[in-house]
Amino acid sequence: QKEVEQDPGPLSVPEGAIVSLNCTYSNSAFQYFMWYRQYSRKGPELLMYTYSSGNKEDGRFTAQVDKSSKYISLFIRDSQPSDSATYLCAMYSGGSNYKLTFGKGTLLTVNP
Amino acid sequence: IAGITQAPTSQILAAGRRMTLRCTQDMRHNAMYWYRQDLGLGLRLIHYSNTAGTTGKGEVPDGYSVSRANTDDFPLTLASAVPSQTSVYFCASSDQFGQPQHFGDGTRLSIL
């Protein structure tokens, strides 16, 4: 089983839709969870950063972590064409373990 | 604008040639990283440095070397390029080792 699994999509939604992006993971030591957004021909841009279980909201974006299920989600409300990008989840356990483990990314297209 | 600058943005290189990818950050971050991103494989860590003067191997270090003479610069060298090193290379940095990483916009390298 891969350490982090992420559905590659592609995912296509109409403007204004609620988008749900998800990752599952197998390593119970992961404590820090991130979502990155990557536009075409650009580097990944940090979108959300959470520690342990729970929710975090930032504008139209909400990150959820369920450590008991080893499942993280990113919700985008009122999606816009400018949200069209690849979304990468990433996580690490912290302490002396530096290694950031990435999902392979989900390609999202929001159609006007 | 503070951030990470990578150069060149793209390069076509003959196999067997030596190539150095440059990375400079102006955020005074302690840790720096080099990744390659390939379709279907996601982001993979090549080398990292948790502070100036120290470096370490990541997931796919073979064929690459790095140095960290100062805080701001972290060049990646391909001593003798091979076609399998065709990829998009991203440099990243973080304030502390393992904390959320900030990425440059990448170098697109093609080895023929």
Side-chain angles (χ1 to χ4, degrees):
Chain A
Q1 181 185 8
K2 294 176 183 168
E3 255 193 318
V4 178
E5 300 265 14
Q6 185 175 7
D7 187 337
L11 183 60
S12 181
V13 301
E15 184 175 353
I18 297 174
V19 176
S20 173
L21 303 166
N22 311 293
C23 288
T24 60
Y25 62 95
S26 58
N27 187 347
S28 58
F30 288 143
Q31 296 189 79
Y32 299 86
F33 304 91
M34 283 141 280
W35 285 95
Y36 285 85
R37 178 175 61 196
Q38 186 175 19
Y39 291 116
S40 180
R41 303 185 71 80
K42 290 289 190 180
E45 168 194 6
L46 183 64
L47 203 57
M48 300 287 279
Y49 174 49
T50 56
Y51 170 70
S52 194
S53 286
N55 293 0
K56 183 175 183 179
E57 186 173 324
D58 184 1
R60 296 184 294 110
F61 299 90
T62 300
Q64 285 187 353
V65 175
D66 182 350
K67 289 187 68 180
S68 62
S69 302
K70 298 190 182 68
Y71 187 87
I72 69 170
S73 300
L74 177 71
F75 296 96
I76 307 174
R77 291 183 300 279
D78 187 24
S79 56
Q80 302 294 309
S82 58
D83 295 328
S84 299
T86 296
Y87 290 81
L88 303 159
C89 63
M91 53 200 76
Y92 68 102
S93 47
S96 60
N97 190 338
Y98 66 91
K99 185 173 179 290
L100 194 63
T101 302
F102 285 88
K104 292 182 181 177
T106 300
L107 177 61
L108 171 67
T109 301
V110 180
N111 301 298
Chain B
I1 298 176
I4 295 176
T5 302
Q6 291 187 238
T9 55
S10 65
Q11 182 77 44
I12 299 173
L13 189 68
R17 296 296 296 270
R18 180 184 179 89
M19 176 74 189
T20 295
L21 308 184
R22 301 185 298 279
C23 175
T24 300
Q25 53 105 357
D26 61 5
M27 298 174 283
R28 307 302 293 172
H29 282 172
N30 289 310
M32 297 187 76
Y33 315 82
W34 273 106
Y35 292 87
R36 58 178 292 175
Q37 188 176 40
D38 303 286
L39 195 63
L41 297 176
L43 282 160
R44 293 181 291 170
L45 183 66
I46 304 170
H47 285 288
Y48 64 90
S49 168
N50 61 357
T51 190
T54 66
T55 63
K57 294 181 179 180
E59 187 181 351
V60 288
D62 294 343
Y64 305 95
S65 63
V66 292
S67 61
R68 186 87 184 278
N70 58 60
T71 298
D72 299 340
D73 300 300
F74 191 43
L76 176 74
T77 297
L78 290 68
S80 179
V82 295
S84 62
Q85 292 177 311
T86 293
S87 187
V88 183
Y89 291 86
F90 288 102
C91 180
S93 70
S94 62
D95 187 27
Q96 296 296 328
F97 198 41
Q99 287 192 355
Q101 296 169 21
H102 302 269
F103 286 78
D105 279 337
T107 293
R108 284 152 187 81
L109 186 62
S110 295
I111 313 293
L112 304 179

